């Protein structure tokens, strides 16, 4: 049953996770390759709820942090004062699609895609304000 918050209805995202798609095995075997920041955005919990509403799976990974995933990406949303940072795995061919997801949530973002070894920055996306 959903929990009620001061803002209205809130989704109950537990450590067991919501229903939804899981990251494909070939990507799950990779180390983190995507990192970034989300600015001027709601708290990580509300972001996770927005991902679930968009068809993603989410789970609470701590009291303040959430993991969201679909078949082609799995990212950890970490709450900091004034911003949310993230890290995880994304199919490199779908990096632009991750940017579209963030834009659809109406948040400013910066995204870095690194090589499999984590030694070289491949792409950086920082949309113009």
């Amino acid at each position: 049953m959903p929990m009620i918050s001061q803002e209205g209805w809130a989704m109950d995202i537990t450590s067991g996770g919501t229903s939804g798609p899981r990251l494909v095995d070939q990507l799950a075997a990779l180390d983190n390759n995507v990192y970034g920041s989300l600015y001027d955005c709601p708290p990580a919990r509300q972001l996770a709820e927005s991902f679930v509403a968009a068809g993603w799976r989410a789970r609470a990974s701590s009291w303040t942090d959430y993991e969201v995933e679909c078949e082609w990406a799995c990212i950890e949303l970490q709450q900091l004062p004034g911003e949310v940072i993230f890290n995880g795995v994304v199919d490199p061919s779908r990096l632009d699609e991750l940017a579209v997801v963030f834009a659809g949530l109406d948040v400013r973002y910066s995204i870095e895609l690194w090589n499999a070894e984590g030694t070289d920055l491949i792409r950086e996306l920082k949309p113009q304000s």
Side-chain angles (χ1 to χ4, degrees):
M1 172 167 233
M3 298 170 49
I4 298 176
S5 71
Q6 291 180 349
E7 295 81 30
W9 286 98
M11 185 173 299
D12 189 17
I13 300 175
T14 67
S15 60
T18 63
S19 61
R22 301 300 300 257
L23 187 65
V24 296
D25 290 341
Q26 67 192 40
L27 292 174
L30 298 177
D31 287 332
N32 288 354
N33 67 351
V34 68
Y35 303 86
S37 297
L38 304 173
Y39 312 99
D40 302 328
C41 65
R45 178 182 182 83
Q46 286 179 257
L47 285 172
E49 291 170 351
S50 295
F51 273 93
V52 171
W56 291 51
R57 180 180 189 279
R59 73 173 194 87
S61 54
S62 77
W63 289 105
T64 59
D65 302 336
Y66 295 86
E67 180 183 82
V68 294
E69 71 179 306
C70 64
E71 296 90 353
W72 51 269
C74 181
I75 58 174
E76 178 88 11
L77 302 170
Q78 299 172 314
Q79 185 67 59
L80 297 178
E83 72 177 313
V84 173
I85 61 172
F86 65 90
N87 64 76
V89 175
V90 66
D91 177 340
S93 70
R94 298 182 83 167
L95 186 67
D96 291 319
E97 196 169 339
L98 181 60
V100 168
V101 171
F102 289 143
L105 297 176
D106 199 27
V107 297
R108 291 185 316 119
Y109 58 85
S110 65
I111 304 172
E112 294 181 352
L113 178 67
W114 289 77
N115 67 350
E117 295 77 26
T119 56
D120 294 313
L121 179 62
I122 298 172
R123 282 186 70 199
E124 186 172 16
L125 300 177
K126 288 185 180 181
Q128 301 298 321
S129 310

